[in-house]
Amino acid sequence: MSVPFRQSDLDAYLDEALPAEEMGRLEKALRDDAELMGRLQTIHGRRNAGVHSLGAIWRRRRLSCPSREQLGSYLLGAVPDDVAAYIAFHVEMVGCRYCQANLSDLQGREAESQEAVQNRRQRYFQSSAGYLRRAP
Ligand SMILES: [Zn+2]
């Protein structure tokens, strides 16, 4: 018997804030669990009626997400320990897909800029090497 889904899981599902793995597990369960589907529809209906749990509002507005600047500093190891711990928890444990995407984008940019620096160094080296060779 698998772990039953909680109300907060269903909320997160509707916000697409569940980790991908859980998302898949829930979708699979929904296919043959009419009771679960009923619960999901109830939440969905309540949302459309404007009744939101505080958790849903937080997730929706991403109030718990660190800013992009914070994520960038986190990658550089330039945030205080408690902030780093919060971000690690948020991204790895909560599995916030928004922040995961943001982080991998930032990582990609950083790798890119490091490559650019390397290329520039190499060009500089090659041009000075060429200059040296040509020098009498
Ligand atoms: Zn987030």
Side-chain angles (χ1 to χ4, degrees):
M1 182 71 199
S2 57
V3 189
F5 292 100
R6 291 161 305 171
Q7 174 85 11
S8 59
D9 294 328
L10 299 177
D11 261 320
Y13 174 76
L14 290 173
D15 286 333
E16 295 194 28
L18 267 188
E21 203 177 283
E22 278 291 281
M23 205 97 176
R25 191 168 77 86
L26 179 55
E27 272 166 10
K28 201 159 163 279
L30 281 171
R31 259 180 247 140
D32 38 36
D33 188 339
E35 192 257 324
L36 188 62
M37 182 54 105
R39 277 167 64 199
L40 192 67
Q41 276 165 349
T42 305
I43 296 171
H44 187 64
R46 220 186 284 148
R47 283 179 172 212
N48 285 345
V51 183
H52 298 292
S53 71
L54 185 58
I57 292 168
W58 269 61
R59 276 190 299 277
R60 182 154 295 191
R61 304 226 173 132
R62 305 204 184 282
L63 292 181
S64 59
C65 289
S67 68
R68 194 169 160 91
E69 287 71 28
Q70 281 177 315
L71 289 173
S73 304
Y74 169 72
L75 283 178
L76 298 172
V79 290
D81 285 352
D82 57 335
V83 177
Y86 174 74
I87 294 176
F89 172 78
H90 181 76
V91 173
E92 286 154 32
M93 301 302 289
V94 180
C96 175
R97 296 204 289 170
Y98 177 77
C99 288
Q100 280 172 350
N102 232 330
L103 267 181
S104 67
D105 178 56
L106 285 165
Q107 267 164 338
R109 276 163 205 264
E110 203 190 325
E112 219 169 79
S113 73
Q114 268 168 5
E115 210 172 287
V117 168
Q118 211 129 52
N119 285 343
R120 212 165 32 241
R121 274 201 201 121
Q122 196 154 12
R123 267 201 307 278
Y124 177 75
F125 175 75
Q126 281 165 346
S127 65
S128 21
Y131 174 75
L132 290 173
R133 261 203 306 277
R134 256 181 269 119

